[in-house]
Amino acid sequence: PIVHSVTKTSEEQCTTTLGNIDPSISAVITDDTAAIELPEQESLITGSTARITKYSNNRIEIHASAEASGIVVLGDYYYPGWAATVDGEATDVINVNCIMRGIPVTEGQHDIMLTYEERTFIPGLIVSFAAVAATFVVPLVFRNKLQKRRTKNG
């Protein structure tokens, strides 16, 4: 859904606050979430829609039609590493309702794309490559040094 109002709270009070709102029309966000300019009371704006047009493990595409500024709330878990664009412009993926992903949108028609970019993949690849290289290079270096000693002493 697209919600048009937020209740700001601390991470510690998130689940308690969530029990006091209607999540079909409002969302709970924590204080450290990106700045969002939405009313802090439940808003009864109707007619906004969001439709998933493509869904895979590392990419989600959504078409949204917002009657006013709001947050597109996805019913799956928030997890770092997701990046979002709205109409080709980078935007924040925020943690809403304690565990879900949300993407802020302005009034109007929008194409949203979320992509998952594993932040540990490249560093892990570099470490793995270095380990494999060391497995082959270190023995060659020692073998060459040993051969030089044998030739020198021999």
Side-chain angles (χ1 to χ4, degrees):
I2 300 177
V3 298
H4 297 285
S5 64
V6 296
T7 299
K8 294 181 181 179
T9 189
S10 66
E11 286 187 25
E12 295 79 21
Q13 294 295 315
C14 191
T15 54
T16 302
T17 305
L18 185 58
N20 296 325
I21 67 156
D22 178 352
S24 68
I25 60 174
S26 188
V28 174
I29 61 174
T30 56
D31 296 335
D32 59 351
T33 306
I36 297 173
E37 298 299 323
L38 295 176
E40 288 201 35
Q41 60 189 31
E42 291 189 351
S43 174
L44 296 175
I45 296 172
T46 59
S48 295
T49 60
R51 182 175 48 88
I52 295 174
T53 57
K54 181 177 180 181
Y55 191 98
S56 66
N57 290 340
N58 60 357
R59 183 181 176 121
I60 302 170
E61 294 179 16
I62 302 167
H63 180 75
S65 177
E67 296 293 318
S69 293
I71 301 173
V72 176
V73 179
L74 279 79
D76 52 2
Y77 290 109
Y78 173 85
Y79 189 79
W82 283 94
T85 61
V86 175
D87 301 326
E89 298 289 322
T91 191
D92 293 321
V93 177
I94 59 174
N95 187 341
V96 299
N97 297 343
C98 311
I99 60 169
M100 297 176 176
R101 286 183 279 181
I103 299 92
V105 293
T106 57
E107 180 181 349
Q109 303 286 320
H110 300 287
D111 290 313
I112 302 166
M113 185 183 317
L114 289 100
T115 53
Y116 183 70
E117 301 165 355
E118 178 62 56
R119 294 178 182 169
T120 59
F121 178 74
I122 297 298
L125 187 62
I126 291 169
V127 168
S128 297
F129 180 75
V132 168
T135 301
F136 294 105
V137 172
V138 170
L140 288 175
V141 169
F142 283 115
R143 190 178 106 201
N144 288 341
K145 284 186 178 185
L146 185 60
Q147 285 178 346
K148 285 181 184 178
R149 282 188 186 164
R150 286 182 184 160
T151 314
K152 196 176 194 182
N153 293 334

